Amino acid sequence: MKQRTITAVVAALIFLPIVMLGDVIFQAFVYLIASIAIYELMRMKKIARYSIASVITLLLMWTLMYNQGMFGGYNVPITKSELTLLAVLILLSYTVLVKNRFTFDDVGFLLLSAIYIGMGFYYLIVTREEGLQFIFYALFVVWATDTGAYIFGRLFGKHKLWPQISPKKTIEGSIGGVVLACVVAYVFHTIEPFSHSLFIVLIVTIIISIAGQIGDLVESALKRHYAVKDSGKILPGHGGVLDRFDSLIFMLPILHLIGFIPEEESALINLQTMEWVLSIVSYIG
């Protein structure tokens, strides 16, 4: 526990100033930790990190993470969809060149890994670009969910959440994580108000708190499937990069897809419409 606490403090002292600085320094840092994360997944699958397939996967992930305007504003003349298709064709061709020692299953694993890690960390960069308010809100929700789940689980946990995947997690802990996340979001909204109402903020908080817990379970399922305790050893007491960022990179795409970020034009849920409906209901009531 002491080692875990020391690692968390040191990591926070490094990570938070980089978040505050933003721009190229933050982007480069995110590229670094994403690269470590993709290699952690390759290690689980026992795919050689120094191979043509791993290099193609790394390049694909970097491409998916790229946003027009990053690193000096260079615009890529080919779309991400086209580059992904190219990577698919190259990796499939590679299975033939190595006489099926690298298989179709390996291709699928690497492509899904590149998309999962690449898009998750892409949205970490995009969220920071939209402003410190959004990135700190997401971080606080993740930390509050983890803390609430741990405390409520230790105090009241009796019913296992998903014992086949993560034996220590409980339903009571999961609910406690959502509750504490909502409390933190309420305080955050009071100090640094969003353009949305408190009701919308709390609804979004519930959604992404649950999404973050699902992200944690997804990584637990991966580790259990590949029979590894931690994704890596880079963070003593915590494991690897994926062990620390699994919830965040799962919730951030959801945060954007539901349109909580004002600049996001393509959203699955129109929060502005929800605001109008609430206003009408309140007026009628």
Side-chain angles (χ1 to χ4, degrees):
M1 189 64 183
K2 181 180 178 181
Q3 185 185 53
R4 186 180 178 87
T5 302
I6 293 173
T7 300
V9 171
V10 172
L13 291 174
I14 296 172
F15 182 64
L16 292 179
I18 293 175
V19 172
M20 296 288 289
L21 287 170
D23 204 21
V24 176
I25 293 176
F26 178 72
Q27 293 164 8
F29 178 77
V30 174
Y31 264 71
L32 173 62
I33 59 177
S35 301
I36 295 171
I38 197 79
Y39 278 124
E40 288 177 350
L41 282 178
M42 291 179 191
R43 173 178 163 270
M44 289 186 196
K45 182 67 172 169
K46 294 182 172 58
I47 294 174
R49 67 175 66 182
Y50 303 113
S51 66
I52 293 175
S54 62
V55 170
I56 294 298
T57 303
L58 184 65
L59 291 175
L60 174 61
M61 185 197 71
W62 285 350
T63 302
L64 293 174
M65 290 175 62
Y66 187 79
N67 190 26
Q68 303 289 9
M70 287 173 55
F71 302 120
Y74 178 75
N75 292 326
V76 179
I78 186 171
T79 68
K80 292 182 179 181
S81 297
E82 291 167 340
L83 284 169
T84 302
L85 176 59
L86 180 61
V88 170
L89 297 177
I90 293 173
L91 289 174
L92 288 175
S93 300
Y94 186 64
T95 64
V96 177
L97 292 175
V98 297
K99 299 178 181 178
N100 225 29
R101 292 194 303 274
F102 176 78
T103 68
F104 189 87
D105 287 345
D106 295 326
V107 173
F109 178 87
L110 289 179
L111 288 172
L112 184 57
S113 297
I115 295 170
Y116 167 49
I117 302 298
M119 294 308 298
F121 281 105
Y122 163 80
Y123 279 111
L124 177 59
I125 293 173
V126 171
T127 303
R128 173 60 185 89
E129 289 178 348
E130 300 299 348
L132 284 172
Q133 181 188 30
F134 295 107
I135 190 68
F136 276 120
Y137 163 71
L139 290 171
F140 289 157
V141 169
V142 167
W143 295 337
T145 300
D146 287 346
T147 303
Y150 176 78
I151 294 174
F152 277 72
R154 289 292 297 270
L155 293 176
F156 309 109
K158 292 182 179 179
H159 304 88
K160 297 297 182 182
L161 178 64
W162 212 297
Q164 296 89 345
I165 300 298
S166 187
K168 293 183 180 180
K169 288 183 173 59
T170 63
I171 295 175
E172 293 81 3
S174 177
I175 294 172
V178 174
V179 170
L180 187 58
C182 287
V183 171
V184 169
Y186 170 79
V187 174
F188 189 92
H189 182 66
T190 302
I191 298 172
E192 190 70 29
F194 290 103
S195 58
H196 302 289
S197 68
L198 175 61
F199 177 80
I200 292 296
V201 171
L202 292 179
I203 291 297
V204 169
T205 300
I206 292 170
I207 292 172
I208 65 172
S209 178
I210 293 172
Q213 294 187 56
I214 294 173
D216 186 37
L217 288 169
V218 166
E219 214 244 330
S220 295
L222 271 171
K223 291 188 293 186
R224 185 164 290 274
H225 178 73
Y226 291 109
V228 296
K229 183 178 183 296
D230 296 312
S231 65
K233 300 178 181 178
I234 195 170
L235 299 170
H238 290 264
V241 167
L242 269 179
D243 292 314
R244 288 298 87 207
F245 285 88
D246 51 4
S247 296
L248 191 64
I249 65 174
F250 208 90
M251 73 151 59
L252 286 175
I254 303 297
L255 190 63
H256 283 260
L257 287 172
I258 63 177
F260 187 74
I261 307 296
E263 288 74 12
E264 188 67 31
E265 296 180 357
S266 58
L268 295 177
I269 301 174
N270 192 324
L271 295 180
Q272 190 63 50
T273 301
M274 289 179 64
E275 296 276 12
W276 293 338
V277 172
L278 284 171
S279 299
I280 293 172
V281 171
S282 299
Y283 178 77
I284 294 175

